[in-house]
Amino acid sequence: MTGEPTIGDVFGEMIRDAYAVATGVGPRPLAGGRLPRPVIEIIERDDGLVNGAPAAHYLDPPQAWPPHDHRAVDRVRGRTLDIGVGGGRIALHLQERGTPVTGLDTSAGALRVCRHRGVRDLVLGTVDEHVADGRRYDTFLLLGNNLGLIEGRERAPGFLAALAALARPGARIIAHGTDPYGTRDPVHTGYHALNRRRGRLGGQLRLRLRYRQLGTEWFDYLVCSVDELAELVHGSPWRLVDVDDADRPYYLATLELAGA
Ligand SMILES: C[S@@+](CC[C@H](N)C(=O)[O-])C[C@H]1O[C@@H](n2cnc3c(N)ncnc32)[C@H](O)[C@@H]1O
C-alpha cells in the first residue's frame, strides 16, 4: 500500500453517490455500514491545499441555480454542446425547453447519471476527440466554472481550435469563469505568486480530485481574470464579444467565431 489513490473515474463515482442520496436510485453511501455519509468533492491543489464541497449541487434543478446560470442558458441558441455536462442539470433543462443539446464528458459515470436522468444525446470524450465525429454546433457551453478546461497558455490554442473545428458559422461559446484576484487570503495570493514565478498564469491551478479511494491524475484548471482570458483568446479563431460580471467575481464570457 502506498497511501496514493487508485486512478479512476472520481467524478463519476461521486455523482453516482450524490444521485443515490438525492433519489434513492442505487445504494446510498453509508458510514460504518449504517449512517448516511455526505458526498463531498475533495479537491487537492499542488501546494498542499485541500478543499471539500458538497456534490449535490451538480444535480440542482433550475430553481436552485445561481443567477448567472439562468443568464447563460438565455444566451443559448441552436444546436448546443454542453462541455463537461456533469450531472446533466443544464442539458436536461435545455432539452426540456426544446433546444437540441449534446452532453460531452470524459467521465463515463457522469454520463450514466445523465442518461438515467433522461439526457438523450451524450458523448464520452474530449472536444478534440469529438471533432472526428463530424457533428457541428451553434453554441458551446462551459458552465459550472468550466472555462477552467482552457487550462492555460499551452492548452488554450488547441482547445479553442477544437471548438472552432466543431463550430457552425456564427457559433458562440458561453463560458463561466471566476476572477481569482480579489482575494487577500495569503494561501491564495501566495499560490498566485508561486505560479507566476514558475511561468504560469496566477490562477492556473494544478489539481487532482479525490473520492474515497479514487483519485485523478494531476491536471491544470484555469481560473483567470477577464484580461487574461482576452489574451488567451487573442490570435485564436474566436473573439471575446461580451462579459457579464453582474455576479462578480464570477463572470460569463461570450465568444464568437471570428469572421461571423
Ligand atoms: C466542475 S464540473 C461541471 C459540471 C457541469 N457543467 C455543471 O455546471 O454542473 C466539471 C465536469 O467536466 C468534466 N470534464 C473534466 N475534464 C473534461 C474534459 N477534458 N472534457 C470534457 N469534460 C471534462 C468532468 O468530468 C465534470 O463532469
Side-chain angles (χ1 to χ4, degrees), residues 11 41 57-58 82-87 89-90 104-107 110 125-127 143-144 146 149 221:
F11 196 89
E41 179 173 31
H57 71 95
Y58 288 118
D82 186 355
I83 301 167
V85 63
R89 62 189 183 95
I90 305 279
L104 178 88
D105 211 290
T106 47
S107 163
T126 63
V127 289
L143 299 186
N146 251 356
L149 294 182
Y221 197 75

Side-chain angles (χ1 to χ4, degrees), residues 72-80 94 97 99-100 137-140 169-172 174 254 256:
V73 295
D74 286 348
R75 288 175 178 230
V76 167
R77 52 175 168 65
R79 177 156 284 287
T80 298
L94 291 175
R97 74 169 206 200
T99 300
Y137 299 91
D138 302 296
T139 302
F140 300 97
R172 291 169 152 193
I174 299 158
T254 302
E256 269 178 17

